[in-house]
């Protein structure tokens, strides 16, 4: 297979050609759109390479959390308990990997089509020999903007999906180990971050876990609400809120405890 020409080269050739001959036929435009699409696909790389890159990124985070012992330390539970849970955690890793691949693929398709649309819009407006005063470089920059933003978009998706992976690993660990509630941490001091107002308001508040034994058996009220009823940590795009999971009644603020809990605490 012959090596495909770089996208920017094909774009230059297309612009020069359209300027010289103008938009004189549909066939001329179609030929360039075809060539540009092929070059754009070559530029963004193969699906297999993308998948490998995402796997590497998410697996690194997974290793840190699961095999590296971060989860066990954070939740104060033994390493073998995490090990027992690993099929469940592995499934979450695959889910996040697949979601990332799908999102980035979708972005790619969209950006390529957007670039081609910009080009077509420009091309169909060309009359032979006109617009000679238009500078080539800024024109090419503007036509190829969607496709050039792809590496940035890809990084954003990986960062967001890594945050989602981490918060789901935490949730799964907590709910499988009898956590009863979670304290919201909105990362209020984070710089250069557009905090959601509603999430800042949740900072420090405590939410009961719906299926936790304490709520189920009437030892605690919902507190600020049931965690499963709200958008959780990292669910909304680029949410960097986190949770501190609570496992014992004596970690729960007094106004969230029922009489049953108070009586139980007195007896310990
Ligand atoms: Zn948030």
């Amino acid at each position: 297979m012959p090596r495909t020409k770089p996208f920017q080269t094909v774009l230059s050739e297309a612009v020069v050609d359209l300027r010289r001959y103008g938009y004189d036929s549909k066939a001329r435009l179609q030929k360039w759109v075809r060539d540009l699409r092929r070059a754009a696909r070559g530029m963004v790389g193969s699906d297999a390479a993308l998948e490998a890159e995402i796997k590497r990124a998410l697996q690194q985070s997974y290793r840190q959390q699961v095999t590296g012992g971060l989860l066990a330390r954070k939740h104060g539970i033994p390493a073998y308990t995490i090990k027992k849970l690993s099929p469940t955690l592995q499934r979450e890793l695959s889910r996040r990997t697949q979601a990332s691949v799908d999102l980035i693929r979708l972005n790619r398709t969209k950006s390529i089509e957007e670039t081609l649309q910009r080009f077509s819009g420009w091309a169909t407006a060309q009359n032979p020999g006109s617009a000679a005063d238009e500078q080539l470089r800024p024109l090419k920059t503007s036509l190829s903007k969607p496709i050039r933003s792809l590496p940035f978009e890809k990084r954003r998706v990986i960062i967001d999906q890594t945050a989602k992976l981490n918060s789901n690993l935490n949730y799964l660990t907590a709910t499988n180990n009898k956590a009863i509630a979670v304290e919201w941490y909105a990362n209020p001091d984070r710089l250069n971050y557009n905090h959601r107002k509603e999430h800042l308001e949740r900072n420090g508040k405590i939410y009961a876990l719906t299926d936790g034994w304490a709520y189920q058996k009437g030892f605690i009220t919902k507190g600020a609400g049931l965690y499963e009823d709200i958008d959780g940590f990292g669910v909304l795009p680029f949410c960097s809120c986190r949770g501190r999971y609570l496992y014992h009644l004596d970690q729960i603020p007094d106004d969230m405890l029922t009489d049953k809990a108070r009586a139980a605490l007195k007896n310990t």
Side-chain angles (χ1 to χ4, degrees):
M1 211 174 78
R3 243 183 109 248
T4 45
K5 274 190 201 171
F7 178 79
Q8 293 295 339
T9 309
V10 181
L11 184 58
S12 299
E13 290 171 1
V15 166
V16 168
D17 182 69
L18 260 303
R19 272 183 175 169
R20 182 174 306 150
Y21 300 104
Y23 175 64
D24 59 350
S25 71
K26 207 168 152 185
R28 183 181 301 279
L29 176 63
Q30 279 171 339
K31 178 232 180 285
W32 284 119
V33 167
R34 206 171 45 238
D35 288 0
L36 283 168
R37 182 177 280 120
R38 190 181 307 132
R41 286 197 182 134
M43 178 179 163
V44 300
S46 72
D47 282 355
L50 172 68
E51 219 168 303
E53 185 185 349
I54 289 165
K55 270 199 183 134
R56 256 198 318 276
L58 290 187
Q59 245 155 16
Q60 191 190 1
S61 182
Y62 182 89
R63 266 201 304 274
Q64 226 172 29
Q65 298 280 334
V66 179
T67 26
L70 204 60
L71 267 179
R73 281 199 299 281
K74 239 183 336 198
H75 290 261
I77 53 182
Y80 72 80
T81 310
I82 298 285
K83 205 171 166 194
K84 262 197 333 218
L85 201 57
S86 63
T88 308
L89 304 179
Q90 277 283 352
R91 261 199 305 281
E92 177 55 22
L93 173 64
S94 322
R95 242 163 54 92
R96 296 275 60 103
T97 306
Q98 196 51 53
S100 313
V101 172
D102 291 346
L103 277 170
I104 293 170
R105 246 194 227 138
L106 214 65
N107 273 346
R108 282 181 168 182
T109 311
K110 213 177 76 196
S111 303
I112 292 176
E113 291 314 310
E114 247 175 66
T115 300
L116 295 177
Q117 217 153 41
R118 280 182 186 214
F119 172 77
S120 301
W122 172 85
T124 49
Q126 297 311 299
N127 296 318
S130 75
D133 52 336
E134 205 177 7
Q135 293 274 320
L136 186 62
R137 196 189 291 265
L139 172 66
K140 276 171 57 186
T141 304
S142 133
L143 291 178
S144 61
K145 192 168 173 231
I147 199 174
R148 282 184 303 108
S149 69
L150 273 175
F152 174 72
E153 292 295 331
K154 179 168 76 181
R155 251 191 330 271
R156 276 169 60 95
V157 169
I158 293 179
I159 289 170
D160 193 37
Q161 292 296 324
T162 305
K164 287 174 166 53
L165 171 68
N166 287 338
S167 73
N168 290 349
L169 292 179
N170 272 303
Y171 179 77
L172 289 169
T173 303
T175 48
N176 277 285
N177 285 286
K178 300 194 171 65
I180 56 177
V182 63
E183 182 182 350
W184 193 283
Y185 177 64
N187 218 343
D189 301 324
R190 186 174 167 191
L191 295 173
N192 305 317
Y193 175 69
N194 194 8
H195 290 91
R196 283 183 176 83
K197 195 167 150 278
E198 317 83 80
H199 287 193
L200 276 180
E201 279 162 6
R202 292 177 188 169
N203 193 45
K205 288 189 178 159
I206 294 178
Y207 295 81
L209 296 174
T210 315
D211 293 330
W213 65 267
Y215 181 70
Q216 286 298 323
K217 293 191 171 145
F219 283 84
I220 60 171
T221 65
K222 329 179 168 178
L226 291 175
Y227 175 71
E228 287 79 2
D229 283 351
I230 55 174
D231 55 290
F233 311 114
V235 168
L236 295 181
F238 304 104
C239 167
S240 74
C241 297
R242 291 195 298 271
R244 185 170 73 94
Y245 287 89
L246 308 173
Y247 286 82
H248 308 291
L249 288 177
D250 57 14
Q251 296 174 296
I252 303 292
D254 198 54
D255 60 1
M256 211 176 142
L257 295 174
T258 62
D259 290 341
K260 199 172 167 184
R262 286 196 196 98
L265 279 171
K266 215 173 280 168
N267 292 331
T268 53

